[in-house]
Amino acid sequence: MKKLQFKVSINAPVTKIYDIMLGITSKSTYEQWASLFNPTSTYEGNWDKGSKILFIGIDEKGEKGGMVSRIVENIPNQFVSIQHYALLKGDKEITEGPEVEKWANGFENYTFQENNGTTTVTADLDTTEDFVAYMNETYPKALDKLKEICEK
């Protein structure tokens, strides 16, 4: 696993950014910025600590897929930690095998820090070697989209 970090400074209060980023009030705000990864990105579940959450989208073949994850920590407006532990293919959770082992126990952590009305969102994530280039290209664009939505 490779560890990557991305940051964005947003001119908005942390409470607004946390709500929009996670889609707390409206899941559509999560879907807007996450659409940079997959136009159909969404989630099923909730952000409560200990909860199972599915990050899903429809692939180019029209099949549902994604990550099966758990919320390890959620301190509202401060920190969210997500642990990915299985893959979703259709409605089936795949918990073992070479594809899963590459991702198993990978984390995606978000830290929120507000200072004088500007909030820095830091994303720390584990990814596989074959996804490093994709994440380096796509993650900054997704965070820019989050910034655009939050600053409206």
Side-chain angles (χ1 to χ4, degrees):
M1 286 281 212
K2 293 277 184 193
K3 295 195 176 302
L4 301 178
Q5 185 179 80
F6 304 97
K7 289 186 180 199
V8 64
S9 291
I10 303 172
N11 295 313
V14 69
T15 52
K16 179 179 182 181
I17 295 164
Y18 173 87
D19 180 80
I20 288 173
M21 187 172 192
L22 302 187
I24 304 290
T25 302
S26 170
K27 192 190 287 188
S28 69
T29 59
Y30 167 87
E31 293 166 345
Q32 286 174 51
W33 76 269
S35 71
L36 276 287
F37 298 104
N38 177 321
T40 62
S41 287
T42 190
Y43 64 85
E44 291 176 7
N46 67 62
W47 296 95
D48 297 340
K49 182 178 177 174
S51 292
K52 175 177 165 179
I53 190 167
L54 305 176
F55 295 100
I56 53 179
I58 307 299
D59 68 16
E60 57 281 345
K61 296 177 195 149
E63 295 174 16
K64 183 166 102 172
M67 304 295 288
V68 182
S69 311
R70 84 175 49 85
I71 305 302
V72 177
E73 186 61 81
N74 185 346
I75 304 166
N77 308 314
Q78 292 178 42
F79 182 73
V80 176
S81 179
I82 305 159
Q83 182 181 30
H84 304 297
Y85 66 89
L87 295 175
L88 187 71
K89 294 220 185 230
D91 289 322
K92 188 174 179 214
E93 292 181 18
I94 301 164
T95 56
E96 55 190 27
E99 241 186 302
V100 175
E101 287 161 15
K102 289 194 302 188
W103 288 98
N105 299 315
F107 282 85
E108 194 170 333
N109 295 328
Y110 296 99
T111 306
F112 303 83
Q113 293 174 301
E114 184 177 351
N115 188 1
N116 295 325
T118 299
T119 301
T120 301
V121 178
T122 304
D124 290 291
L125 60 133
D126 298 323
T127 193
T128 59
E129 188 70 56
D130 49 339
F131 269 85
V132 169
Y134 171 78
M135 290 299 189
N136 280 333
E137 182 181 333
T138 310
Y139 229 99
K141 291 176 185 173
L143 291 177
D144 285 346
K145 181 70 174 176
L146 176 67
K147 176 181 174 82
E148 178 190 316
I149 298 162
C150 291
E151 290 181 351
K152 277 185 185 170

